[in-house]
Amino acid sequence: MPVSEPASALEAQVLRALDTVQDPELRRPITELGMLKDVRLDAEGGVVVDVLLTIAGCPLRETITADVERALAAVPGVNTVGVNLDVMTPEQRNALKDRLRGGDPVRTIPFNRPDSLTRVYAVASGKGGVGKSSVTVNLAAAMASLGLRVGIVDADVHGFSVPGLLGITRPPTRVDEMILPPVAYGIKTISIGMFVDGNQPVAWRGPMLHRALEQFLTDVYFGDLDVLFLDLPPGTGDIAISVGQLLPGSEILLVTTPQSAAADVAERAGSVARQTGQKVAGVIENMSWLALPGGERLEIFGSGGGAAVSGRLGDTLGYPVPLLGSIPLDVALREGGDGGLPVVLADAAATVADTGAVSTADGGVGAEGTTREDAETAAAELRRIARELAHRPRGLAGRSLGVSPV
């Protein structure tokens, strides 16, 4: 039957059920993307669905088949389900790309458009080894578990680690020049690590780094995001400058440890905002203390570094730069990174059986559940910081709202 013309109540129910099936990479309904080629019903309650894949080697073809079968099995009156997979023609792929880009033929950075409401956070540090990537991944995972649409660009080309922290092992899908990023725990992620074999180094200089970042921002289809994180390399080098040029509206989140040596270089990294015109959204102090069995706190790296950076940057930049939080040393944070499961989700998932929390399709925990908010855990503090950033109001001055006065 033509998919746009249901001839019976059952056919209408079948089409409504198919509206709930999303492409796993594009995160939009297959009916909206032109992927539903045909639907056929017989008198015995059998349904056969023809689905068009974007490319012949689609890595998630089995996921699409299973999602269609699951959606239709829940429709009363449907007894059997068959799914046939075909591939889009070049013309159909071009129509899909035009639809995804909103009809704009020019390859631009969508987060710079006047009507974009995506909040972009560039997570920076003065030096390496302060846990910047772990903070980035866990903030993103915590926001995704709150129902926000989140993406990560692993801009640390030489020291990429985000795919491992999220347990991503498969490469992105290419639809001609468009790149569809893998999705883990509801987070769309792109990294140069997805394009290299094994643990090979990436030995690039400045111009290549800039082009790689620009390609990630123009060719990777993230869709309509609420928040985009960029995990920057430490210091004030090429990538930090490129982010200021390519994403002038991005805000900087500065990660430091309490140690004065780390705080001093973190302050320099934040001061780059004066040259790039960006805003520093706040400072996050990591590895603040270690909770001992007796309840005492052991300040291994000293204390006060985060507050010092916050105060000095506020004086330098001329506006308040808040200390967003202090994350304790926690073995669970390291274990989560090694296992590819962010601690903000692993800690919450451990309480599902006791709280009745609802798991999401991407492995997170739904907002219906509650978690153990122990002030001594890294997971609790990361979730608190994520909630604060997620609920920050943003100004709409100068932005197109898509409405016209009557």
Side-chain angles (χ1 to χ4, degrees):
M1 81 177 172
V3 295
S4 60
E5 299 177 10
S8 68
L10 178 58
E11 292 172 354
Q13 287 182 295
V14 165
L15 291 178
R16 282 196 295 271
L18 291 171
D19 283 336
T20 67
V21 178
Q22 290 194 338
D23 179 275
E25 294 171 307
L26 296 172
R27 314 293 287 175
R28 287 170 64 174
I30 60 173
T31 52
E32 180 184 315
L33 296 171
M35 296 175 64
L36 188 60
K37 180 180 179 181
D38 195 14
V39 180
R40 299 181 297 280
L41 285 76
D42 61 33
E44 286 74 37
V47 181
V48 177
V49 181
D50 296 335
V51 178
L52 295 173
L53 302 176
T54 52
I55 59 172
C58 177
L60 296 176
R61 55 194 300 129
E62 294 180 1
T63 301
I64 295 173
T65 298
D67 289 347
V68 170
E69 292 174 342
R70 188 181 305 109
L72 295 184
V75 177
V78 173
N79 296 320
T80 61
V81 178
V83 181
N84 298 322
L85 300 179
D86 200 351
V87 181
M88 286 184 172
T89 65
E91 293 75 20
Q92 289 170 327
R93 274 197 301 274
N94 288 334
L96 171 63
K97 290 184 291 184
D98 289 343
R99 189 179 296 115
L100 294 175
R101 290 177 177 145
D104 186 357
V106 180
R107 292 159 64 183
T108 59
I109 298 176
F111 310 108
N112 289 336
R113 292 174 181 165
D115 59 348
S116 174
L117 296 179
T118 303
R119 197 150 208 167
V120 182
Y121 288 116
V123 186
S125 68
K127 62 195 298 290
V130 300
K132 168 182 52 61
S133 298
S134 294
V135 169
T136 301
V137 164
N138 278 279
L139 289 179
M143 288 190 184
S145 74
L146 295 173
L148 299 181
R149 294 161 297 188
V150 184
I152 296 179
V153 172
D154 187 356
D156 193 351
V157 173
H158 295 136
F160 56 85
S161 59
V162 171
L165 293 172
L166 286 170
I168 297 174
T169 57
R170 68 176 185 84
T173 300
R174 296 198 72 120
V175 181
D176 299 330
E177 78 284 356
M178 181 178 285
I179 302 172
L180 307 183
V183 182
Y185 309 111
I187 307 164
K188 295 183 176 182
T189 305
I190 194 68
S191 169
I192 199 65
M194 299 171 181
F195 300 90
V196 299
D197 294 328
N199 200 29
Q200 295 298 310
V202 179
W204 289 353
R205 290 184 172 179
M208 292 183 68
L209 297 173
H210 181 91
R211 285 197 296 271
L213 179 60
E214 187 174 27
Q215 185 175 15
F216 281 168
L217 294 172
T218 55
D219 292 354
V220 176
Y221 177 75
F222 285 102
D224 188 13
L225 296 182
D226 295 303
V227 183
L228 175 68
F229 287 95
L230 288 93
D231 182 28
L232 305 189
T236 57
D238 295 300
I239 289 290
I241 297 171
S242 292
V243 169
Q245 294 172 342
L246 295 171
L247 293 166
S250 59
E251 301 175 74
I252 296 174
L253 290 176
L254 204 57
V255 180
T256 184
T257 63
Q259 188 176 6
S260 59
D264 289 342
V265 292
E267 181 186 353
R268 291 199 292 271
S271 297
V272 171
R274 295 185 65 181
Q275 302 175 36
T276 61
Q278 295 165 282
K279 179 181 179 181
V280 178
V283 177
I284 298 173
E285 185 183 85
N286 195 24
M287 309 180 194
S288 298
W289 71 85
L290 176 66
L292 300 179
E296 301 89 356
R297 292 182 175 183
L298 177 60
E299 295 175 335
I300 297 176
F301 297 107
S303 63
V309 173
S310 170
R312 295 200 296 258
L313 274 180
D315 294 339
T316 300
L317 300 176
Y319 56 82
V321 177
L323 176 61
L324 297 172
S326 300
I327 304 166
L329 279 162
D330 194 335
V331 173
L333 178 60
R334 190 270 305 165
E335 291 176 338
D338 289 346
L341 174 60
V343 70
V344 293
L345 302 180
D347 180 81
T351 66
V352 169
D354 297 328
T355 64
V358 179
S359 292
T360 67
D362 297 304
V365 174
E368 298 89 343
T370 57
T371 58
R372 179 176 62 87
E373 291 293 329
D374 183 347
E376 299 297 309
T377 68
E381 182 69 350
L382 285 160
R383 283 195 292 267
R384 187 194 64 75
I385 296 170
R387 286 194 298 268
E388 179 179 336
L389 291 173
H391 295 121
R392 276 188 170 186
R394 65 173 304 153
L396 297 178
R399 296 184 178 273
S400 172
L401 300 180
V403 296
S404 301
V406 177

